[in-house]
Amino acid sequence: MTEPTAADASGPTLPARPERPERPTRPTALVTGASAGIGREFAVQLAGRGHDLVLVARDTARLEELAAVLRRGGADVEVLTADLSDRAALQRVADRLSDPDRPVDLLVNNAGYGLRGRFLRNDLADEERMFDVLTRAVLVLSHAGARAMVGRGHGAVVNVSSVAGWLASGTYSAAKSWVTVFTEGLAGDLAGTGVTATALCPGFTSTEFQQRAGISSPGPKFMWLDAHRLVADCLDDVARGRVVSVPGLQYKAVSTLLRMLPRPLVRAQLRSTKLPSRRGD
């Protein structure tokens, strides 16, 4: 007679309980200025394309409202309230981008706003705050995000610039010129790393920005871009590795002309459109 085995002694062997399938890893995107306008559209479309989100802006209530919508669609969403003109708050966002345990695969530097009036009539402190949001924040966050992405061998940085960067219309125009050139240089630094950098250069775009600021929409209707199409085209350009993304045939033509014109003619442009002083995030 054979000795009873452990299986005999303990009764029939039960089938192993199937392990709960783990949720597939989703890429994560961090979007600044995500509470409204183009930034909000980036967040919505990235969630629709299978990304989890880190939403950054000053307005916590609006971020939480958007986060709730995106979570219902299946995205994991983190809200990070920060005024990017504040260096400590900016560093918190940079630290989030550098976190090796919570990698960010796509950074969208979108936060920004404009000031009414001409440079010499504006308060210098206001000009400095705008400068910090439009340029220093892009510099700091691109550095943190791109370094972390290079270490993993993949990722993308999108810096929202403007066709205004090819004009000569005050500090906003100058800042956007810097963003475009900076992104072109960054793209060169990143060549061969698996990480890309793209400067998005839109013109007038239909968002709630004008309604919130209480201003009318300048220019003819055909010059206005649809935010949904703009973001979709930009994300397609990012997938192609394009360094400068100019949405809309009208602005492709405008940007080409502006880059070809002698600078004295560009400087002789008519008075630039005044931007509202309200922030877009």
Side-chain angles (χ1 to χ4, degrees), residues 35-142:
S35 61
I38 291 174
R40 182 184 177 97
E41 187 62 36
F42 264 111
V44 170
Q45 290 199 35
L46 286 166
R49 294 184 181 212
H51 284 69
D52 293 329
L53 275 303
V54 181
L55 305 178
V56 180
R58 299 186 313 152
D59 192 328
T60 303
R62 289 176 67 87
L63 288 180
E64 291 290 359
E65 178 272 330
L66 174 58
V69 172
L70 300 181
R71 288 171 185 142
R72 287 196 292 270
D76 284 341
V77 184
E78 175 185 347
V79 167
L80 181 52
T81 305
D83 180 345
L84 299 185
S85 67
D86 179 272
R87 295 200 171 195
L90 176 62
Q91 188 58 49
R92 289 198 301 273
V93 182
D95 291 343
R96 177 63 184 85
L97 286 164
S98 301
D99 188 342
D101 297 323
R102 297 180 296 164
V104 172
D105 306 280
L106 172 61
L107 165 64
V108 180
N109 277 314
N110 166 77
Y113 65 102
L115 295 173
R116 289 185 183 273
R118 297 189 179 278
F119 172 65
L120 294 179
R121 294 181 181 177
N122 288 335
D123 184 83
L124 181 59
D126 292 338
E127 289 281 354
E128 288 182 308
R129 280 190 291 270
M130 184 181 74
F131 184 82
D132 282 345
V133 173
L134 295 182
T135 59
R136 188 174 188 276
V138 172
L139 177 83
V140 171
L141 299 185
S142 294

